[in-house]
Amino acid sequence: MPDAIGIPEDMLRKAAGMAVCKINVDSDLRLAMTAAIREHLAENPSHFDPRQYLKPAREAIEEVVAHKIENVLGCAGKA
């Protein structure tokens, strides 16, 4: 998915530093989920149960969210 990109992290950091109240990272989450599903199905073409390919997809989303919270938006431990 070479043309699919989210908002660059430096722009997200800048927005967070300017007290922007809502910063959308949905594109990054959808990209991570889709990539994980594609990778799983490529490696396991016989899998058809969504529980098999959605588990790594959910894990990929969790990784992206943790990264954004801790390293980009500066909001770790503030909820």
Side-chain angles (χ1 to χ4, degrees):
M1 299 177 289
D3 294 329
I5 59 170
I7 299 170
E9 289 187 348
D10 60 325
M11 291 179 73
L12 294 174
R13 278 188 198 92
K14 185 176 180 180
M18 297 172 68
V20 172
C21 293
K22 182 178 185 291
I23 297 175
N24 195 345
V25 294
D26 179 60
S27 294
D28 294 326
L29 302 180
R30 287 184 285 130
L31 287 167
M33 181 174 198
T34 301
I37 290 170
R38 288 181 179 185
E39 181 179 345
H40 180 89
L41 292 175
E43 294 172 0
N44 305 281
S46 66
H47 286 184
F48 62 91
D49 185 340
R51 292 171 289 190
Q52 294 171 310
Y53 56 82
L54 288 179
K55 182 178 180 183
R58 285 190 302 270
E59 291 169 352
I61 287 176
E62 288 176 9
E63 290 174 15
V64 170
V65 169
H67 169 74
K68 297 292 185 189
I69 288 172
E70 296 168 7
N71 303 311
V72 179
L73 302 175
C75 56
K78 295 184 180 180

